[in-house]
Amino acid sequence: MSFDCSEHLHYKLLHLTGEVDLHNSSEVRRCLLDILKQGKSVIVDFSDLKYIDSSGMATLVEGLNIANKNNLSLIIAGANGAPLQVLELTRLNQVFTIVDSVADIKE
Amino acid sequence: MTEQSQILIDVNNLDSAYGDRQVLHDINLQVEQGEILVIMGGSGSGKSTLLRNMLGLMKPRTGSIEFGDINICHATKAEISKLRRSMGVAFQGGALLSSLSVGDNIKLPLRQHTDLDENTISIMTRLKLELMNLADHEDLMPSELSGGMLKRAGLARAVIMDPKILFFDEPSAGLDPVTSVELDQLILNLRSAMNMTIIVVTHELESAFTIADRIAVLFDGELVITGTVDEIKACTDERVVNLINRKPRKNQLDADKYLSRLTKGAN
């Protein structure tokens, strides 16, 4: 798994690649919580994500909760394949704002 | 099996016994990555013994069970411990620790094997409880749950680490038909979303036919057939036909063996 952080409009863009699991979700958590602590809204780009386990999903849920409490946004973009199925299985697709791609976010 | 399939578990020439009583005879079975394999058979057919051997809880008399390059029958403690981190086991009765709440039972593997933050652990636990229709049951004690709830809580604990391989002993036993169907659907969803390889031991035909990619039928410790649902339904072996049609076994009595059993140890 690797991730990089860039800017998209007024969002921080967290691009995840590969597999997020028990061994590396803590790194994603640290990065995500740092961004939110800075008062920035965040897009988590799933387009190159092959797999995410429940520790990864739990990290995003924690992030969304913090974002909501601070009037920030946490948007998932480009979910496909197994990660999309995990979102559906856990019904978190009804909790997160999910868009097809980063390009769909205009403001 | 497709040519591209990856073999995850390879059981070769397995014989297993409890003392003098041989329970499994020359079992050969392969489990593919991502498949749902159902081990089916009547009571006493050796299903649970095969499961115990696969989990490394029991040493076979002869034969091997290979997980990649590790033979669990001769593995070191460290190898078995590593293997078990990639496995989840849902036992028949849930097997929760009675002194811990449902939530703490489910959190146990994460607290023992990971250094995840407690917030992450709590959310993971609630996600699994939601998945099992057990939301708001986190603080209850196991004694306050029904049989079906215990089974689902046991499943939640079995999958809390998102294992690569899930072993499930008798998922439907003792459940009402609706809960049973829901559990079957959950097993199918876990496979597709988490790409789990799932091995289910059951004697429930309907459940087996619903969830299985392949079914291995055991009869008196022998593997009669391994095949797809259609192949099992088309099988003409009398033992398989009787199992499917729920006909009682006709035991041919071996008079000498019978007498020997009755008089064992007598002068």
Side-chain angles (χ1 to χ4, degrees):
Chain A
M1 188 276 301
S2 65
F3 60 90
D4 57 77
C5 197
S6 58
E7 307 271 345
H8 178 82
L9 305 171
H10 67 279
Y11 296 92
K12 284 277 186 184
L13 177 61
L14 182 60
H15 179 247
L16 303 174
T17 306
E19 301 188 352
V20 174
D21 60 22
L22 287 171
H23 305 292
N24 54 37
S25 63
S26 298
E27 292 172 54
V28 176
R29 180 174 183 268
R30 268 193 297 276
C31 179
L32 184 64
L33 298 193
D34 271 355
I35 294 170
L36 293 166
K37 257 186 212 160
Q38 293 164 22
K40 291 273 190 180
S41 287
V42 60
I43 304 165
V44 185
D45 186 358
F46 269 36
S47 55
D48 291 316
L49 188 65
K50 299 290 170 230
Y51 173 82
I52 183 164
D53 75 353
S54 31
S55 68
M57 291 313 310
T59 295
L60 295 176
V61 169
E62 186 182 4
L64 179 65
N65 190 38
I66 293 171
N68 287 345
K69 282 182 180 165
N70 293 284
N71 289 321
L72 300 169
S73 309
L74 190 158
I75 300 171
I76 293 174
N80 63 87
L84 181 60
Q85 283 186 304
V86 173
L87 282 165
E88 288 166 356
L89 176 69
T90 52
R91 295 182 298 173
L92 289 173
N93 58 335
Q94 297 171 47
V95 176
F96 285 99
T97 302
I98 298 177
V99 296
D100 287 344
S101 77
V102 175
D104 291 342
I105 301 167
K106 304 289 186 198
E107 60 182 42
Chain B
M1 263 184 260
T2 59
E3 278 181 28
Q4 294 81 17
S5 63
Q6 190 193 340
I7 302 303
L8 203 64
I9 308 173
D10 197 355
V11 181
N12 286 297
N13 308 111
L14 191 81
D15 281 4
S16 187
Y18 295 102
D20 290 340
R21 198 166 68 86
Q22 188 165 347
V23 180
L24 295 176
H25 306 267
D26 196 27
I27 303 292
N28 289 285
L29 182 66
Q30 294 182 320
V31 185
E32 282 179 57
Q33 159 72 39
E35 81 168 326
I36 299 178
L37 177 82
V38 171
I39 300 170
M40 202 166 78
S43 297
S45 59
K47 306 186 297 289
S48 297
T49 305
L50 179 54
L51 190 69
R52 289 169 63 84
N53 274 278
M54 284 174 145
L55 293 170
L57 295 172
M58 205 176 154
K59 295 268 181 220
R61 187 176 271 173
T62 57
S64 64
I65 302 174
E66 287 161 8
F67 292 76
D69 52 5
I70 298 175
N71 177 358
I72 200 166
C73 310
H74 300 294
T76 62
K77 273 188 180 172
E79 285 173 328
I80 290 182
S81 169
K82 191 182 165 202
L83 261 183
R84 285 200 181 132
R85 284 189 195 197
S86 65
M87 297 175 178
V89 187
F91 294 99
Q92 213 176 124
L96 301 184
L97 298 175
S98 58
S99 56
L100 297 180
S101 69
V102 171
D104 283 338
N105 262 287
I106 296 169
K107 288 171 184 172
L108 202 56
L110 292 172
R111 287 177 171 158
Q112 207 156 25
H113 297 296
T114 75
D115 51 7
L116 291 172
D117 185 89
E118 194 59 29
N119 277 339
T120 308
I121 289 178
S122 291
I123 296 171
M124 286 173 76
T125 301
R126 288 171 197 148
L127 279 172
K128 294 294 194 260
L129 284 168
E130 289 277 348
L131 204 57
M132 305 300 161
N133 278 329
L134 286 174
D136 301 327
H137 290 65
E138 188 180 346
D139 297 328
L140 295 183
M141 300 303 283
S143 60
E144 295 173 293
L145 301 187
S146 71
M149 287 174 179
L150 280 172
K151 205 178 276 275
R152 283 179 283 145
L155 180 57
R157 187 179 59 187
V159 298
I160 191 68
M161 304 249 297
D162 297 319
K164 287 191 169 62
I165 313 170
L166 172 67
F167 293 92
F168 203 162
D169 195 6
E170 300 283 7
S172 310
L175 296 184
D176 65 81
V178 174
T179 309
S180 177
V181 167
E182 285 172 355
L183 209 54
D184 287 346
Q185 192 53 52
L186 190 61
I187 290 170
L188 290 167
N189 289 344
L190 281 173
R191 189 265 298 273
S192 59
M194 310 302 287
N195 195 25
M196 275 182 203
T197 302
I198 303 179
I199 295 154
V200 177
V201 166
T202 187
H203 59 261
E204 300 280 340
L205 290 166
E206 208 171 320
S207 171
F209 290 157
T210 305
I211 61 176
D213 293 312
R214 291 188 306 140
I215 297 175
V217 180
L218 279 174
F219 190 90
D220 283 349
E222 284 177 32
L223 196 55
V224 181
I225 180 177
T226 306
T228 61
V229 171
D230 287 342
E231 284 166 345
I232 299 297
K233 284 180 177 172
C235 179
T236 53
D237 187 293
E238 191 187 6
R239 296 165 295 181
V240 178
V241 173
N242 286 346
L243 185 72
I244 291 174
N245 296 326
R246 298 165 186 267
K247 280 194 184 164
R249 282 178 279 194
K250 279 183 226 156
N251 282 336
Q252 204 73 43
L253 188 70
D254 180 327
D256 290 341
K257 280 188 181 168
Y258 185 34
L259 182 62
S260 160
R261 285 201 299 273
L262 295 176
T263 57
K264 190 178 171 186
N267 292 318

